């Protein structure tokens, strides 16, 4: 199925720094029924770093060298973690996403994951023409949701959540989790007319999901089938 999904990648994006999927090929096989799809905002890192590579080169690596069962949240070296030749040490965001999957009892390498925008930027503030970029990338996500019959989309952060809710017409709020601390950040659940749920979680680069007061995983687990 992943080859069919690549057909939906806008060719004008091929030369830009970035990546398409955050989990390996087996997570997108037609027989896989993962129960959820995880969407962040966009790949992080320095787009000027040649080691990061273009979206086109990422697609080729996905076909030829990235393992069929793989997750960027486990198998990549991110800033704040270890280097490629060091013993494994994960970044805070990777640790928090791993915590989520452990608590909801799902295989992180067999759960489809991506970002609503494929282009890499150093941070969210430097993501230019974001609405146009989200629009260009959406056909891939729509194909994943329809092809794998996804009942639940888990969005990392408010920007990703707002865009996905709009595209899936998930307008009915059906639940929330408020952090038990002074800042009181909130995660939300919405449902569309077809029964598909969209969860908009606090962003794991900022919220420490491993802290009991800020942990949205019990909230997420109530929606996982």
């Amino acid at each position: 199925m992943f080859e069919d999904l690549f057909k939906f990648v806008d060719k004008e994006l091929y030369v830009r720094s970035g990546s398409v999927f955050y989990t390996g090929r087996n997570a997108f096989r037609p027989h896989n029924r993962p129960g959820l799809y995880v969407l962040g905002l966009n790949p992080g890192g320095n787009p000027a770093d040649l080691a990061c590579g273009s979206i086109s080169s990422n697609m080729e690596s996905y076909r030829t060298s990235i393992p069929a069962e793989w997750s960027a949240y486990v198998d990549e070296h991110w800033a704040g973690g270890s280097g490629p030749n060091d013993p494994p040490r994960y970044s805070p965001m990777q640790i928090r996403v791993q915590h989520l999957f452990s608590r909801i009892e799902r295989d992180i390498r067999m759960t489809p994951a991506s970002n609503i925008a494929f282009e890499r930027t150093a941070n969210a503030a430097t993501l230019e023409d974001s609405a146009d970029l989200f629009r260009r990338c959406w056909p891939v996500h729509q194909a994943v949701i329809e092809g794998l019959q996804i009942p639940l989309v888990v969005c990392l952060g408010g920007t990703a959540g707002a865009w996905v809710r709009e595209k899936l017409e998930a307008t009915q709020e059906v639940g929330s989790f408020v952090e038990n601390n002074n800042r009181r950040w909130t995660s939300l659940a919405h449902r569309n007319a077809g029964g598909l749920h969209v969860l908009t979680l606090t962003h794991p680069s900022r919220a420490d999901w491993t802290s009991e007061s800020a942990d949205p995983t019990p909230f997420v687990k109530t929606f996982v089938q």
Side-chain angles (χ1 to χ4, degrees):
M1 180 182 178
F2 72 92
E3 283 291 354
D4 294 330
L5 295 172
F6 281 162
K7 296 176 184 177
F8 292 99
V9 178
D10 191 320
K11 290 182 173 56
E12 292 186 8
L13 301 179
Y14 279 16
V15 298
R16 302 187 189 184
S17 176
S19 63
V20 180
F21 296 131
Y22 265 28
T23 39
R25 299 183 296 279
N26 284 357
F28 296 90
R29 298 294 187 191
H31 66 272
N32 191 30
R33 290 292 179 266
L36 68 155
Y37 183 31
V38 177
L39 285 174
L41 177 60
N42 73 307
N46 182 1
D49 184 354
L50 295 178
C52 290
S54 67
I55 290 173
S56 178
S57 65
N58 169 258
M59 291 164 61
E60 183 59 27
S61 296
Y62 197 83
R63 294 184 180 101
T64 60
S65 60
I66 291 176
E69 292 191 14
W70 167 89
S71 169
Y73 294 115
V74 177
D75 301 308
E76 280 192 347
H77 298 272
W78 287 11
S82 58
N85 299 315
D86 298 328
R89 185 177 70 251
Y90 297 111
S91 72
M93 181 170 171
Q94 287 174 304
I95 291 170
R96 293 160 187 169
V97 175
Q98 291 171 24
H99 168 79
L100 168 69
F101 275 89
S102 175
R103 290 296 181 90
I104 66 173
E105 301 177 307
R106 286 293 186 273
D107 186 341
I108 195 170
R109 294 186 176 95
M110 288 297 292
T111 301
S114 182
N115 292 285
I116 60 170
F118 303 142
E119 184 174 359
R120 184 185 320 280
T121 59
N123 52 57
T126 56
L127 187 63
E128 298 179 355
D129 299 322
S130 57
D132 179 65
L133 189 57
F134 298 163
R135 178 186 59 78
R136 288 170 179 261
C137 298
W138 181 251
V140 176
H141 306 311
Q142 184 173 1
V144 171
I145 292 166
E146 294 176 355
L148 296 181
Q149 301 175 31
I150 299 292
L152 172 66
V153 182
V154 176
C155 301
L156 310 183
T159 302
W163 176 260
V164 173
R165 293 198 307 268
E166 177 183 337
K167 298 304 290 183
L168 296 177
E169 299 181 340
T171 58
Q172 181 183 3
E173 184 176 328
V174 293
S176 63
F177 163 71
V178 181
E179 292 182 348
N180 186 24
N181 52 33
N182 290 334
R183 67 188 182 196
R184 309 286 289 175
W185 287 353
T186 301
S187 296
L188 296 170
H190 290 80
R191 181 173 60 211
N192 70 9
L196 186 152
H197 288 88
V198 178
L199 303 188
T200 304
L201 305 184
T202 54
H203 201 283
S205 68
R206 302 182 66 193
D208 183 3
W209 292 355
T210 65
S211 166
E212 184 177 356
S213 63
D215 185 5
T217 60
F219 171 67
V220 175
K221 194 167 186 177
T222 63
F223 293 93
V224 174
Q225 299 179 2

